[in-house]
Amino acid sequence: MRYAQGGGLTDAGRAARERVRLQAVERFEGGQKNREIAAALRVGERSVERWRRQWRERGEAGVLSKGSPGRPRLSDAQIARLERELERGPLVHGWADQRWTLARIKALIGRLFHVSYTVEGTWQLLKRHGWSWQQPARRAIERDDQAVEGLEEGDLAAGKSTAAACNGWIVFEDEAGQSMTPPRARSWGRRGRTPVVRVRGRGSGRVSMAGLTCYKQGKRSRMFYSVREYRGRKGEPKGIGWRDLRDLLVRAHMQLGGPIVLVWDNLRMHLVEPMREFIADHAEWLTVFQLPSYSPDLNPQEGICELVKRGIGNLAAADLGQITRAVKRGLKQIQYRSELVDGCLAGTGLIMDG
């Protein structure tokens, strides 16, 4: 029977034990004697006698006991210290990348507490204390965390005050693009055989999209978008330009019927002179705030773009037009589901109420 250090029986050990006990129950029902059962199952007669007594008193459920989960080998104080060290990250402990693996955590436990765990026992330990295997979020090294924390703590205070004063909408803007190669999405397949998705190895063109997510207290959240194709033709714009953004803002202003407090990043297209002039000429209904650099996680429109790309995962498109139709269909579906637009705002951690 296999045991995990610090975690009692392994899952395989528990399963084997349950199989033996089930076989004993079948032999009890068949009328076999304890000595015969012990010899056939290679266990002690006293164990078989105890199982038979449990079977007579409580039936099969009495025999199939879960048993002891094992004695924890780390104290609460040691667990708390381990969690603090894990939160500091692998770089602090000498590893070249920023990925915690079970083998590394096992080694860290040995360094800190001189206690030996198996890899499976390490997994059980982490699982019991609320840790799980996750795909990490990326953050740029150049990101100004203090500026981001100030924005989160202030809950967009400046933008909210401006919007409340002019009875306007807070609007987030972002752009994204999609080529002929679709984003990879998880798929079911036979164990041991990696699923293969056939896509075109060559193909020119790109679909660009720009969107506005619009919020106002007491109003249904709104979303507006613009899509442009680029097929590589001479003189054709390669993507969304400042004119597209200008027209999108004008359309949103007309349909929202009120002033706009625009929140976007420091993309070069947002800072070109024609766009600055447009903002200055329409100051009566358009006010602009800049997000901190390298902070896409604070922009709910980024979440909208991720939802669209997730919806076309593994798409084997025959041509660029199929990509365009899929992108427009995804945006249109989100446009009519305000709960998704609200969910993308909640995912940023920003608060609009109050």
Side-chain angles (χ1 to χ4, degrees):
M1 205 72 74
R2 291 185 60 195
Y3 286 83
Q5 296 178 19
L9 279 174
T10 65
D11 289 341
R14 282 190 290 270
R17 182 183 62 188
E18 296 303 316
R19 286 196 297 270
V20 170
R21 294 192 177 197
L22 280 174
Q23 293 174 14
V25 170
E26 293 175 356
R27 294 174 186 270
F28 293 156
E29 295 173 346
Q32 294 188 16
K33 296 182 178 180
N34 291 349
R35 181 177 299 178
E36 298 174 352
I37 297 174
L41 301 182
R42 297 182 179 181
V43 296
E45 286 190 40
R46 294 185 62 180
S47 296
V48 176
E49 183 180 352
R50 184 177 68 255
W51 295 345
R52 185 185 292 275
R53 184 170 60 252
Q54 293 170 344
W55 173 66
R56 287 172 177 170
E57 293 175 355
R58 292 181 290 170
E60 182 178 313
V63 180
L64 300 179
S65 172
K66 294 182 179 179
S68 172
R71 178 176 59 86
R73 305 187 65 191
L74 296 181
S75 65
D76 292 342
Q78 289 174 323
I79 293 294
R81 183 186 173 191
L82 175 63
E83 291 183 335
R84 289 195 301 270
E85 296 300 326
L86 291 176
E87 289 173 354
R88 294 176 65 194
L91 288 176
V92 177
H93 295 280
W95 282 284
D97 58 44
Q98 303 175 63
R99 180 180 54 173
W100 277 123
T101 64
L102 291 175
R104 290 180 177 181
I105 298 174
K106 171 182 176 295
L108 180 64
I109 293 173
R111 291 180 194 174
L112 295 176
F113 312 114
H114 306 288
V115 175
S116 176
Y117 269 75
T118 65
V119 171
E120 188 169 5
T122 304
W123 177 79
Q124 293 283 356
L125 176 70
L126 294 173
K127 183 179 179 183
R128 284 198 302 269
H129 291 86
W131 292 70
S132 63
W133 179 256
Q134 303 178 36
Q135 183 172 350
R138 290 188 175 181
R139 295 287 184 269
I141 294 177
E142 300 86 352
R143 174 185 172 112
D144 186 352
D145 289 330
Q146 291 184 350
V148 171
E149 290 176 2
L151 181 62
E152 291 176 336
E153 292 172 0
D155 299 331
L156 283 181
K160 288 198 304 180
S161 299
T162 304
C166 64
N167 193 28
W169 292 73
I170 295 184
V171 176
F172 294 85
E173 189 276 339
D174 195 30
E175 308 87 16
Q178 179 59 53
S179 64
M180 286 288 293
T181 303
R184 285 188 295 179
R186 294 184 178 230
S187 177
W188 285 97
R190 186 179 295 276
R191 184 175 299 171
R193 297 183 185 178
T194 303
V196 176
V197 177
R198 302 291 180 182
V199 298
R200 294 187 178 274
R202 295 185 302 172
S204 61
R206 183 177 180 82
V207 178
S208 299
M209 49 183 159
L212 304 174
T213 50
C214 313
Y215 304 93
K216 184 178 181 181
Q217 189 173 4
K219 296 289 186 178
R220 175 178 175 271
S221 301
R222 305 283 298 277
M223 195 268 286
F224 302 91
Y225 63 88
S226 177
V227 176
R228 178 180 287 277
E229 283 186 352
Y230 171 66
R231 297 181 177 271
R233 297 167 182 165
K234 186 177 180 180
E236 184 181 18
K238 292 186 177 181
I240 298 292
W242 74 269
R243 293 182 179 85
D244 299 298
L245 294 181
R246 175 199 63 190
D247 297 342
L248 185 60
L249 287 169
V250 171
R251 175 155 57 92
H253 170 59
M254 294 175 62
Q255 295 194 32
L256 293 174
I260 289 176
V261 177
L262 179 63
V263 183
W264 60 12
D265 55 25
N266 295 312
L267 186 67
R268 184 176 180 181
M269 180 173 53
H270 300 161
L271 306 177
V272 296
E273 190 61 30
M275 179 59 73
R276 290 178 180 272
E277 293 177 356
F278 170 76
I279 295 172
D281 293 342
H282 298 84
E284 70 277 5
W285 61 267
L286 180 60
T287 306
V288 177
F289 286 88
Q290 301 287 343
L291 284 170
S293 299
Y294 301 99
S295 56
D297 53 302
L298 297 181
N299 194 335
Q301 182 59 37
E302 181 83 11
I304 297 291
C305 296
E306 288 297 326
L307 287 175
V308 173
K309 291 193 174 186
R310 189 184 307 169
I312 59 175
N314 299 346
L315 174 64
D319 52 34
L320 189 64
Q322 188 174 354
I323 295 285
T324 303
R325 291 190 294 273
V327 169
K328 287 184 176 180
R329 181 170 60 250
L331 289 168
K332 178 66 71 174
Q333 290 173 347
I334 296 173
Q335 193 176 43
Y336 287 100
R337 297 182 63 183
S338 60
E339 69 275 10
L340 290 181
V341 183
D342 292 334
C344 289
L345 176 66
T348 65
L350 300 176
I351 302 174
M352 304 299 297
D353 295 334

